[in-house]
Amino acid sequence: MTVNDDSFTSWKNREEIAESMIPVIGKLHRERDVTVLLHSRSLVNKSVVSILKTHRFARQIAGEELSVTDTLPFLQALTTLDLGPSQIDIGMLAATYAADERGLSVEEFTAEAVAGATGANKLELGDGRDVVLYGFGRIGRLVARLLIEKAGSGNGLRLRAIVVRRGGDQDIVKRASLLRRDSIHGQFQGTITVDESKNTIVANGNEIKVIYANDPSEVDYTAYGIKDAILIDNTGKWRDREGLSKHLRPGIDKVVLTAPGKGDVPNIVHGVNHDTIKQDEQILSCASCTTNAIVPPLKAMADEYGVLRGHVETVHSFTNDQNLLDNYHKADRRGRSAPLNMVITETGAASAVAKALPELKAPITGSSIRVPVPDVSIAILSLRLGRETTRDEVLDYLRNVSLTSPLKRQIDFTTAPDAVSSDFMGSRHASIVDAGATKVDGDNAILYLWYDNEFGYSCQVIRVVQHVSGVEYPTYPAPAV
């Protein structure tokens, strides 16, 4: 047998193992609301090849490849436990077990590591929480995909309705088609049918009512059986408390804005300040995609090194508020053709840092350039640190932050020397540290942070909604503080 034959045999063996993992992962998710992760990446509804690629990607952040032969025993151990709703990272289980010197069996170690999700400690499945999307554009449709994907046992977040202005004949058919196929993010993973007579879209068994209205005051949510719902406003039309309060009608309990909030509306970046949300707060904002990209690594750097001042330059993909071809626009430069030009514009992300990270007293400035790509942006974060350090120290620190810290769902890390923007389409992290581009000189550090300004941001929105709804399940093993 040749070396190539050995490699192929190994691949086929790993395929077989990954294939055996799929029904186990699916059953845990459907029956117990347990999401199996691998270094913060969900393995739910993933193909054999996707599971293998996710294991291989571990070498980008952990330094060495992780094999399904390493993680399968921990997955099998989970099936023997009385688990409640939770997120369990089998990559972290394997890593922490390898470092443990007590001689425990895999079963004993796993039971101990996830004890908070078992037996008398486990969360009980609730009745679920209704969600309404107000607006159905780029972010609205991605949030819808995520809500449908995360339906699990049906006891978590439930997308009940979408509110839009009627666009003309076959409006619901065309909106369902936009949900089904996306030029950037690909096809919807599942089935979508439309019942025009009932104004209903059925996606993977989830019945979603399409409500037509020109203003929040026109909607009676109770007529659709919607109660205590969280409404996600994707329009950006109203950004202050007075405007967003229009949504607080019978059936709606809280309003979450997918744009920077104005005035006293709390701007929330999950992972950084979501724990400051008051229980009785009914209106909040998820800030902007760029704010979500820069605040977690900024917090990480401030916690370890101190930050005296900083500047962020965002090289941002073009968006729907720009023109395809030169035409009138109320902004100075956004009227020029988006696919043909780099366009200097403003960003509110730097000033938004103060709302999300008020303990950081350092002045942060910012500017932005829109460029001719449809998705994925990069933030170049230049920092004056509170002490001198080295590039290796910063990279080791940020790698560990991405693996084991409370910010591991927000910050990802890549060492790929040939990484480009399209590689990060579909990333679920708020930002990805590019190790190869990082520069450190004494007390000056420059971080290059990739982010999927559509999908990564939508994931952050979902995390905030899960938190305020009470269905943000704990992760095990618990991240290092």
Side-chain angles (χ1 to χ4, degrees), residues 132-151:
V132 172
L133 295 179
Y134 198 96
F136 204 49
R138 297 298 303 154
I139 300 302
R141 292 194 295 273
L142 291 178
V143 167
R145 285 188 175 202
L146 287 165
L147 287 168
I148 295 163
E149 171 195 301
K150 295 178 180 296

Side-chain angles (χ1 to χ4, degrees), residues 148-312:
I148 295 163
E149 171 195 301
K150 295 178 180 296
S153 66
N155 297 93
L157 299 175
R158 302 177 302 192
L159 177 55
R160 296 291 308 281
I162 298 161
V163 183
V164 291
R165 293 182 177 183
R166 186 181 293 275
D169 294 341
Q170 290 195 306
D171 181 278
I172 190 172
V173 173
K174 292 177 179 178
R175 294 187 188 277
S177 180
L178 286 169
L179 178 62
R180 185 181 291 114
R181 302 178 186 90
D182 189 282
S183 300
I184 295 171
H185 300 285
Q187 298 228 359
F188 175 79
Q189 296 300 302
T191 63
I192 292 176
T193 57
V194 176
D195 188 334
E196 290 186 78
S197 64
K198 296 181 179 179
N199 284 342
T200 300
I201 296 173
V202 181
N204 290 358
N206 296 267
E207 291 193 5
I208 307 162
K209 196 75 175 180
V210 178
I211 303 170
Y212 292 105
N214 295 314
D215 187 83
S217 63
E218 298 177 8
V219 187
D220 178 8
Y221 293 101
T222 61
Y224 303 97
I226 295 169
K227 60 180 181 179
D228 298 326
I230 297 173
L231 182 144
I232 305 174
D233 185 324
N234 307 290
T235 68
K237 182 177 180 180
W238 305 279
R239 292 171 58 184
D240 59 13
R241 187 173 295 275
E242 180 182 1
L244 293 168
S245 294
K246 297 175 185 288
H247 292 302
L248 293 173
R249 302 175 53 74
I252 303 299
D253 179 53
K254 295 182 185 294
V255 179
V256 175
L257 171 66
T258 62
K262 294 183 177 180
D264 67 342
V265 175
N267 279 253
I268 303 300
V269 174
H270 191 276
V272 174
N273 68 335
H274 66 277
D275 56 354
T276 66
I277 301 173
K278 297 177 182 177
Q279 192 169 2
D280 61 352
E281 179 60 75
Q282 289 188 287
I283 296 174
L284 54 92
S285 156
C286 290
S288 71
C289 56
T290 302
T291 302
N292 276 266
I294 66 172
V295 167
L298 186 55
K299 173 176 169 52
M301 293 297 287
D303 287 348
E304 180 67 17
Y305 301 103
V307 171
L308 303 182
R309 65 173 179 268
H311 175 81
V312 60

